[in-house]
Amino acid sequence: MSPVARNRLIALGALLVAGAGLGFVAFGNIGENLVYYWSPSEMLGQGEKAYSATIRLGGVVQPGSIEWNAEHTTLQFRVADDVKDGAPSVLVRSTETPPQMFRDKIGVVVEGTYDKSGVFSSNRLMVNHSNEYRAPKEGEEPRQWQETLSDATTAVGAM
Amino acid sequence: MAGDALRRHHRRGGDVNGTVGYGLVLGGLAFATFGALVGLVSGLRRSDAGMPWVMRAVWGFAACMVGSNAVMVHALVTHDFSVRYVAQVGSRSTPLVYTVVSLWSALEGSILFWGLIMGCYIAAFAFIHRREHARYMQLALGTMLAVGVFFAFLIAGPANPWGAVSPVPMDGPGPNPLLQNHVLMIIHPPMLYLGYVGMTVPFGVAVAGLLRGEIGEAWMAPLRRWTLVAWLFLSIGIILGAWWAYAVLGWGGYWAWDPVENASFLPWLTATAFMHSTMVQERKRMLKLWTLSLALASFVLTILGTFMTRSGIFNSVHSFTQSDIGPTFLVFLGFLLVLCVGLLAVRGPLLVPEGQLASPLSRESSILVNNLVFVAITFTVLLGTLYPLISEAVRGVRVSVGEPYFNKMAVPGGIAVLFLMGVGPVLPWGKPDPATLRRQFIIPAVVGLVVTAACFAAGLRGVYPLLTFGLAGFVTVITLRELAAPVRVRMSERKEGFVTALTTSALKAQRRFGGYVVHLGIVLIIVAVAASSAYVKHTSGTLKKGQVIELGGYQMKYLGLVSGEEPHRTYVAARVEVTSPGGQVSELKPRLNYYERSTDPIGTPGVRETPAEDLYMSLMAFSEQAGTASFNVWVFPLVGWIWWSIPLLVLGTLIALWPRRKAAVATAGAPALGPSPLTGGDAERGAA
C-alpha cells in the first residue's frame, strides 16, 4: 500500500470513528434533554413516565383556581385541558412572576416537572398570545380589544 | 413610469398598484426563467453566444424586482388597502418609518423584499465580473437566475402579496407590534436577508465551477469574496437579532437556541468553515471538493433556514399544511440536495488534490481541525433543531430539545474554536520547527495562565468559563502579536512612521490582517457569552411603592407607575430608582406597551448598561388596586461586548475586501495568489 493510500485510509478511519462518536454523544444528549409537550390529560395518562421528564404542560388556567401566597411570591393555580367544568386538570406551583395578561381561562404553557404528590413545579410560565394580532372582524369594535389597555390607563389616571 | 400609473390609480380608485406590482413580478419571473435557461444551456454547450442575453435577463430581473418593491412601498405609504398585503400589515396610525419597514414585517412582503435583494446581488455580481470568461459567467448567472426563478415563482404564486381585497377596508391592523417596538427591527431583518440571499452568489459560482469540472484560482477569488460579503451581513444580522431579543422581548436573554435563531446560525457556521478551508485550498491545493461542499452547504442551509422560519412548521408538523409556501420550499430543498450531491459525486473526482498534509502540527492541519469542529457543531445544532420535527412526524410525539443539549455540545465546540484561533496563526504552513514553535507559544501561554489565575483569584469559578478566559488571553496575545509584527519590522527596518507602517502592512496582507481583526471580534463575543451566561444573576419580585429589591449589589426601589402616549402606542412604565454598587443613582423605566390593535401588552425592559455589566429589569405585571408591580431582574456581566464586536467584524471584513491596486502583491505571509485584476478587487462594491 502506498503511503498516500495508507494516510487516506487512516484519515477516513479516524473520521468515521469521530463521526460515530459525535453521533452517539449527540443522540444520547438529546435523549436526556427532551422536553415533552403534553396537555393535562395526556400527562396524567403517562403514568410513571411523567415523573422523570421535563414537561411543557399546555392548557388553560382553570377559572377561580389562581391563588397567591401572602407575600405574593409563590403562585398556585390549576391548568386544565379546557375551560369546561370537570376537565382534567393539574395543580401547578410557579416561582415565576406571571406576565400582565395572566388571568382565568387564558392559555398557558408551564415548563417544569411533575412529582408523585401530584404537584407540577414550574420554573417558566408562558402565556399564549391567545388572540393573534389580527384585523377587526366584521361588527367587532377595535375598542373591545383594548380592555386591558383602558383598565390600565384609567387605573393609572386615577392614581 | 409606475408613478404615473399610480397617480392615475388614486384618481380612479382602481387597483392599479396591485396590477402593476404583480405584472412586475411576472416580468421578473419571465426574465429569470429566460436567463437561467439561456445561461445554463449555452454555458454547458461551451458556447459564449448566450452571454449578452443572460446579461439582459439579469438587468430585466433586477429592474422588475426593484420596481415591484417600489410599488409595494408606495402602496404601503399611500395606504392602498385594496392590496392584500397592505390590508394585512398597513395602518393609518403607524408612523411613516414603520410603514415602510412593514414591507418585511410579514411573510409575503419579506419574500418580495428577498426578491429585491436577490435582484440587486445578481446585478452587482454580473456588473463587477462582466469581463470574466463568458462560459463561467453564463453558468454562474444561469444558476443564480434559476434560484431567482424559484423566488419569483413564490412571489407570483404561494406567497403573493398582490392579491386584491374586496371590499376595500378603510384601515388595517398595522404591523406586528413586536416589530414596531424597537429601532433594531428596522436594520436587523435587512442585514439577515443580505446575509441569506448573499449566499446565492457563491452558490452560483460554485455550481458553475462544478458544472465546468474545474475551479481555478481565478474563480476561487470571487467565491471567497462574495462568501465574505454574505458572511459579514449574516454575522451582523445574527448579532442584531440577539440584541433585539435582549432589548425588546424582555425575557432576559439574547439567545435561546430557538429554531429561528439556529436557522441563521447554521449557514454562518459552514460559511465560516469555508472561509478557512479556502486558505488550505489556495496554499496547498488540497480540500477542493470539501471547500466547494461547504459553499454549497451554506446556501442549502439558508434555504432550509428560510423554510424553517417561514413555513410555520415549527409550530407543529400539523399546522405545516396550512402554510402555502411550505410544500413549495420542501420541493425546492429536495431538488437542491439532489443537485448538490449529484454535482459533487459526478464532478468531484475532477477536482484532484495536488498536495499532501506534511505534518499534523501545521497551519493546514489546524484549519482541518477547525473545519471538523465547525462541521460537528453544525451537525449537532441541525440535529437538535430538526429532532422535534422528526419525532413528531415519525413517532407522533411532540417534544422540543432543551437548551442544555445545545449548550453541552456548543460550549466545548466554542472552546475548541477559541483554542484553534490561537494555535492556528502560530503554526507555519508545511513542516514546523519545534524550537521556534516553543519560543512563540511561551509568552501567550503564560498570559493565558495568568488570566486564568487572576480570574480565579477574583472569585470566579467554573471550569468552562475560566478555560475560556484563559484561552481568550492566549488568543488575544497571539493575534495582536501577528498584527503588530509586520508593523514593527517596517518601523525598524524602513524607518516608517506607525501609521504608514500599519496601513502598508495591512494593505500588503489584507486578508490575513482583516482575518485577525475579525478574530479579535470573535474573541470578544465568546468571552461575553461565557461571562454573561456563567455569571448571570437573576431575581424576581413584587414590590409595593417604596419597597426595595436587591441583586448583585444593586438596589432597586419602586417609585410608582407613569403612563404616556406615543403616536402608535400608549404605555405604562414603572419608575425604579437604581443605586449601583458604586453608589450612583439613576432611574430605569421598564414598561408595558399597548398597541391600538393588539390585546396583549408588549414589554420593553429597562437596561442600565456599563462596559462591565448590564442591569436589566422587566416589568411583568402591575396592579393598581394593590399598588404593586412585579419585576424580573437580571445582572449580565459583559453582555454588551457581544454587540460592540460588530465594528471589529465590519472593520476586519472591509480590510480583507478592500480593492487592491496591483494584481499581485508579494508579502511575507501570503504569496502572490491574490485575485486576478479582472475577478477580484471590487467585489465589495456590489454589497455597498
Side-chain angles (χ1 to χ4, degrees), chain B residues 35-60:
Chain B
L37 283 175
V38 172
L40 289 171
V41 170
S42 171
L44 284 174
R45 293 176 62 193
R46 313 207 157 214
S47 132
D48 297 349
M51 190 60 197
W53 292 101
V54 177
M55 290 299 265
R56 279 169 210 149
V58 168
W59 308 138

Side-chain angles (χ1 to χ4, degrees), chain A residues 4 15 22 26-27 29-30 32-37 72 97 99-101 129 131 133 145-146 148-149 155-156 159, chain B residues 173-175 177 356 398-400 402 404-405 408-409 561 563 570 594 596-600 620-622 624 630:
Chain A
V4 176
L15 268 184
L22 179 69
F27 272 104
N29 192 4
I30 269 196
E32 288 166 21
N33 289 295
L34 284 184
V35 181
Y36 291 87
Y37 285 97
H72 226 256
T97 316
Q100 184 73 17
M101 299 93 81
H129 288 233
N131 26 15
Y133 202 66
W145 309 357
Q146 294 179 49
T148 341
L149 167 61
V156 173
M159 265 164 74
Chain B
Q356 268 282 323
R398 285 199 69 190
V399 293
S400 74
Y405 162 78
K408 254 186 223 167
M409 307 305 279
L561 293 175
S563 68
T570 57
Y594 294 84
E596 196 184 340
R597 299 300 167 82
S598 171
T599 43
D600 299 338
M620 295 299 290
F622 57 87
E624 201 49 39
S630 308

Side-chain angles (χ1 to χ4, degrees), chain A residues 87-99:
Chain A
S89 68
V90 175
L91 183 66
V92 175
R93 254 184 221 136
S94 164
T95 48
E96 202 192 42
T97 316

Side-chain angles (χ1 to χ4, degrees), chain B residues 190-201:
Chain B
M191 285 295 147
L192 208 51
Y193 293 163
L194 279 166
Y196 269 25
V197 185
M199 292 295 173
T200 311
V201 177

Side-chain angles (χ1 to χ4, degrees), chain B residues 31-89:
Chain B
F31 277 118
T33 314
F34 173 76
L37 283 175
V38 172
L40 289 171
V41 170
S42 171
L44 284 174
R45 293 176 62 193
R46 313 207 157 214
S47 132
D48 297 349
M51 190 60 197
W53 292 101
V54 177
M55 290 299 265
R56 279 169 210 149
V58 168
W59 308 138
F61 174 70
C64 283
M65 285 299 147
V66 172
S68 190
N69 276 271
V71 175
M72 182 56 85
V73 170
H74 182 269
L76 281 167
V77 170
T78 55
H79 303 298
D80 178 359
F81 294 110
S82 71
V83 174
R84 194 195 318 158
Y85 187 70
V86 180
Q88 189 188 331
V89 303

